[in-house]
């Protein structure tokens, strides 16, 4: 039988000598530990009861007095010569060894529990003293994990032997380097390797500074087969077109009357305000009409989700991925709404801070990107740090610096500060004296997981708020010193 009689006796001897051990939080025993031998069980229960009454030591008489009204227990004690048993085990027990006795008793209880659950315990039955409780548990955990892995695969876990298939991957990247679809900036393409599937990009910017316009322009760049070319003065085939469906999720604008005109502006190059005013100059109306046709031909899906939650995001993106074959998603934008805050608090079963909610949203988006191999672009508001920090980084994101942990690419897009305006004026005078375009935004890149440029580099460019179109100008380091960065033009590989 899986029961260490000697250890149990010595343990009981210690309880009789020092009853407080019977109710110690450190050495907790249960009925199952002594149940195989009824005499031991009743003796232990007597020790617990007397310990709770404050007994400093326990004799046979104390136990007989305790059970005087329980004939069954009284008879059990007499049958087992309670007085003689107590005298003997008190002499043999060493109170200093109680921890050792306790572990031996609990170890056998553990083995009985595994045996009753159908596990083979032969490995430990003959010489249990060779193993600790942790070693026994680790052994059976290992068996369980091995069996589970044979028949169940957690899709979020990927395992491989280091080096397996690495030569093929090396040759694959030689043939086609690791880049994704284009972003709105060719300098950003270089720094981030583009907008890749399985990854998430987040840009932080102050309210009203062009987040939606930029997002829609990036959408047009990858989702529309044709775009208006200002230089050529006509529509041209879009070399960045990815030939895959795209999804744009937002919760502030009316999809048809407010959001769609901005998308038309990105495609046509005609300012949104002309569309909204219903007044056009020259061939602008023709360009708008053609842009509408192009958008209708494109696989672009727009969703408004005013009361969004992480679960709604998951199910909506999954729906469009499975039924519309969407591969690129833009979520405009990460914020702490009452609906998502309530959802996260309910799931965690505790009041949840705003920063925790924001981090949870970004974590959810990253999980969606990885699990479904889709590319996600999102945005965030900024906080007051944007007015005081010298280096604009994740500390400027509204609510939660922790959002950066899950990002593959992260930036702050901001207007010029005083010293940056001075640098801009100097650069324009020295290098672009005849340029009709002058930068009005700086992209402060604080994270590029697979980039090969220095962190916190700045991309200086011009953002047209009416069309969302972004024109690269130059790059500097964090201290506004010009740096030489090559532009990367990510065209669609047929």
């Amino acid at each position: 039988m899986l029961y260490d009689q000697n250890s149990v006796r010595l343990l009981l001897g210690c309880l009789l000598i020092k009853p407080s051990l019977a109710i110690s939080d450190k050495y907790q025993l249960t009925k199952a530990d002594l149940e195989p031998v009824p005499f031991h069980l009743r003796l232990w229960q007597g020790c617990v009861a007397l310990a709770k009454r404050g007994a400093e030591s326990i004799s046979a008489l104390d136990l007989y007095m305790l059970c005087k009204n329980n004939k069954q227990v009284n008879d059990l004690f007499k049958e087992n010569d309670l007085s003689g048993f107590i005298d003997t085990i008190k002499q043999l027990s060493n109170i200093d060894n109680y921890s050792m006795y306790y572990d031996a008793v609990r170890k056998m209880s553990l083995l009985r529990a595994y045996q009753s659950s159908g596990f083979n315990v032969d490995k430990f039955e003959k010489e249990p003293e060779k193993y600790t409780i942790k070693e026994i548990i680790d052994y059976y955990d290992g068996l369980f994990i091995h069996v589970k892995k044979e028949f169940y695969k957690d899709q979020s876990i990927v395992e491989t032997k280091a080096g397996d298939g690495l030569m093929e991957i090396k040759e694959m990247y030689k043939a086609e380097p690791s880049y994704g679809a284009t972003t709105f900036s060719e300098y950003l393409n270089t720094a981030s390797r583009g907008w890749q599937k399985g990854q998430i990009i987040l840009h932080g910017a102050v309210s009203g500074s062009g987040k939606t316009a930029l997002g829609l322009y990036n959408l047009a760049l990858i989702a529309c087969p044709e775009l208006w070319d200002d230089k050529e003065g006509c529509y041209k085939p879009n070399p960045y077109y990815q030939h895959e469906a795209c999804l744009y999720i937002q919760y502030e604008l009316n999809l048809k009357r407010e959001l769609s005109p901005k998308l038309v502006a990105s495609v046509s190059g005609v300012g949104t305000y002309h569309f909204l005013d219903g007044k056009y100059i020259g061939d602008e109306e023709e360009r708008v009409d053609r842009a509408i046709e192009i958008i209708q031909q494109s696989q672009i899906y727009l969703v408004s989700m005013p009361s969004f939650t992480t679960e709604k995001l998951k199910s909506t993106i999954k729906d469009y991925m499975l039924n519309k074959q969407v591969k690129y998603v833009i979520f405009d934008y990460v914020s702490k709404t009452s609906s998502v805050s309530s959802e996260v608090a309910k799931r965690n079963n505790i009041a949840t801070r705003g920063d925790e909610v924001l981090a949870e949203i970004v974590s959810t988006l990253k999980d969606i990107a990885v699990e479904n191999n889709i590319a996600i672009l999102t945005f965030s508001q900024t906080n007051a740090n944007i007015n005081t920090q010298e280096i604009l980084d994740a500390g400027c994101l509204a609510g939660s610096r922790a959002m950066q942990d899950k990002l593959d690419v992260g930036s702050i897009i901001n207007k010029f500060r005083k010293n940056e305006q001075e640098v801009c004026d100097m650069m324009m005078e020295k290098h672009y004296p005849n340029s009709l375009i002058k930068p009005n935004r700086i992209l402060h890149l604080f994270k590029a997981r697979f980039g090969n440029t220095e962190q916190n580099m700045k991309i200086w460019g011009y953002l047209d708020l009416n069309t969302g179109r972004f024109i690269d100008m130059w790059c500097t380091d964090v201290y506004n010193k010009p740096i030489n960065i090559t532009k990367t033009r990510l065209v669609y590989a047929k």
Side-chain angles (χ1 to χ4, degrees):
M1 180 173 62
L2 288 168
Y3 190 74
D4 189 341
Q5 296 264 8
N6 290 333
S7 293
V8 172
R9 293 187 184 111
L10 294 169
L11 178 141
L12 290 170
C14 292
L15 299 184
L16 293 165
I17 297 169
K18 188 177 180 180
S20 61
L21 291 171
I23 54 175
S24 167
D25 289 336
K26 182 178 180 181
Y27 298 108
Q28 295 184 14
L29 293 166
T30 69
K31 182 179 178 181
D33 292 313
L34 300 108
E35 200 166 30
V37 177
F39 172 60
H40 292 165
L41 174 62
R42 293 302 187 182
L43 182 52
W44 168 71
Q45 290 174 331
C47 291
V48 171
L50 291 168
K52 288 180 178 179
R53 296 182 185 184
E56 296 293 333
S57 65
I58 297 173
S59 66
L61 180 60
D62 294 325
L63 290 163
Y64 277 123
M65 289 295 292
L66 180 68
C67 66
K68 62 182 179 181
N69 295 323
N70 190 325
K71 185 177 183 305
Q72 183 180 3
V73 175
N74 204 304
D75 291 344
L76 182 63
F77 284 167
K78 289 178 180 178
E79 290 171 8
N80 288 275
D81 185 17
L82 180 63
S83 296
F85 180 82
I86 289 178
D87 289 341
T88 301
I89 60 173
K90 276 188 172 182
Q91 293 179 26
L92 295 175
S93 299
N94 183 343
I95 200 75
D96 293 332
N97 291 334
Y98 181 75
S99 179
M100 180 177 67
Y101 308 148
Y102 173 82
D103 285 345
V105 172
R106 292 289 288 170
K107 188 187 304 179
M108 300 309 288
S109 299
L110 175 65
L111 290 173
R112 290 197 303 276
Y114 276 122
Q115 188 179 56
S116 65
S117 297
F119 289 90
N120 187 312
V121 297
D122 291 349
K123 176 180 175 68
F124 307 103
E125 190 170 8
K126 292 182 179 179
E127 297 180 296
E129 67 277 1
K130 288 186 175 181
Y131 304 94
T132 66
I133 288 177
K134 184 180 184 304
E135 287 172 339
I136 294 172
I137 291 174
D138 287 346
Y139 172 77
Y140 287 109
D141 281 352
L143 291 179
F144 176 76
I145 292 170
H146 176 73
V147 172
K148 181 180 178 181
K149 286 174 67 175
E150 286 290 318
F151 297 97
Y152 171 76
K153 183 68 175 178
D154 186 337
Q155 297 302 314
S156 67
I157 298 176
V158 179
E159 298 174 279
T160 187
K161 166 69 173 61
D164 287 354
L166 202 51
M167 192 62 70
E168 290 80 0
I169 294 173
K170 187 203 80 167
E171 295 302 319
M172 177 184 73
Y173 286 149
K174 283 175 63 178
E176 185 177 340
S178 177
Y179 284 95
T182 192
T183 67
F184 53 80
S185 162
E186 292 183 358
Y187 283 136
L188 183 57
N189 287 344
T190 302
S192 66
R193 294 187 170 273
W195 186 16
Q196 301 194 56
K197 293 174 183 175
Q199 296 187 9
I200 177 173
I201 298 175
L202 181 145
H203 302 296
V206 300
S207 180
S209 63
K211 294 188 294 294
T212 299
L214 266 177
L216 289 169
Y217 176 54
N218 213 146
L219 179 69
L221 278 173
I222 66 170
C224 293
E226 294 180 33
L227 293 176
W228 177 263
D229 189 318
D230 284 324
K231 291 182 180 180
E232 297 290 335
C234 63
Y235 277 97
K236 302 281 287 185
N238 177 12
Y240 312 112
Y241 175 46
Q242 293 297 303
H243 301 264
E244 291 185 301
C246 302
L247 174 65
Y248 194 100
I249 303 174
Q250 61 88 50
Y251 51 87
E252 289 186 337
L253 303 178
N254 180 282
L255 294 181
K256 291 186 177 181
R257 295 196 306 271
E258 297 173 326
L259 190 73
S260 293
K262 287 178 173 288
L263 179 57
V264 170
S266 294
V267 177
S268 66
V270 177
T272 305
Y273 66 95
H274 286 190
F275 189 107
L276 297 176
D277 290 343
K279 297 179 181 179
Y280 303 96
I281 300 172
D283 64 351
E284 286 184 344
E285 187 169 3
E286 293 178 12
R287 288 162 57 182
V288 166
D289 291 343
R290 177 58 186 149
I292 293 173
E293 292 176 359
I294 292 169
I295 292 171
Q296 289 173 338
Q297 296 166 7
S298 305
Q299 297 181 73
I300 297 175
Y301 301 95
L302 308 177
V303 172
S304 181
M305 196 182 294
S307 300
F308 80 89
T309 64
T310 58
E311 288 304 316
K312 284 183 182 179
L313 285 174
K314 286 180 184 178
S315 61
T316 300
I317 293 173
K318 189 82 169 181
D319 176 25
Y320 277 87
M321 184 199 73
L322 293 175
N323 296 309
K324 302 295 184 181
Q325 290 72 54
V326 160
K327 290 296 182 182
Y328 295 89
V329 176
I330 298 176
F331 177 58
D332 184 13
Y333 53 94
V334 174
S335 69
K336 185 191 66 162
T337 63
S338 59
S339 55
V340 73
S341 297
S342 298
E343 176 209 26
V344 174
K346 184 177 180 180
R347 184 163 59 237
N348 294 342
N349 204 28
I350 56 172
T352 308
R353 301 192 312 270
D355 61 316
E356 295 174 320
V357 173
L358 295 172
E360 180 78 8
I361 297 170
V362 173
S363 179
T364 297
L365 292 173
K366 175 60 178 178
D367 290 343
I368 293 171
V370 172
E371 292 170 11
N372 301 289
N373 192 34
I374 60 177
I376 295 182
L377 168 64
T378 190
F379 297 88
S380 167
Q381 300 278 26
T382 52
N383 58 34
N385 290 344
I386 201 167
N387 299 317
T388 57
Q389 283 190 197
E390 180 181 357
I391 299 175
L392 303 189
D393 57 17
C396 297
L397 296 176
S400 181
R401 176 186 285 270
M403 287 194 289
Q404 72 173 325
D405 295 343
K406 291 289 185 176
L407 302 181
D408 296 287
V409 179
S411 82
I412 301 295
I413 300 174
N414 196 35
K415 298 177 182 179
F416 296 157
R417 295 168 289 181
K418 183 178 179 181
N419 64 327
E420 292 165 340
Q421 184 62 61
E422 293 172 355
V423 171
C424 179
D425 292 340
M426 181 181 66
M427 289 288 291
M428 291 298 296
E429 182 179 348
K430 183 176 181 180
H431 299 287
Y432 305 91
N434 300 317
S435 175
L436 299 177
I437 296 175
K438 185 177 182 179
N440 60 1
R441 293 290 187 277
I442 298 177
L443 185 151
H444 303 255
L445 186 66
F446 63 78
K447 184 174 183 180
R449 195 185 297 274
F450 299 102
N452 58 2
T453 58
E454 60 182 281
Q455 295 293 321
N456 297 112
M457 66 171 282
K458 297 180 179 181
I459 298 174
W460 301 60
Y462 172 74
L463 171 61
D464 184 341
L465 292 176
N466 274 304
T467 64
R469 296 189 172 199
F470 187 87
I471 299 175
D472 289 309
M473 296 297 287
W474 62 79
C475 296
T476 68
D477 63 15
V478 69
Y479 303 109
N480 299 321
K481 179 182 178 181
I483 54 177
N484 185 25
I485 301 291
T486 303
K487 292 182 179 180
T488 300
R489 191 165 180 264
L490 296 176
V491 300
Y492 178 73
K494 296 181 181 180

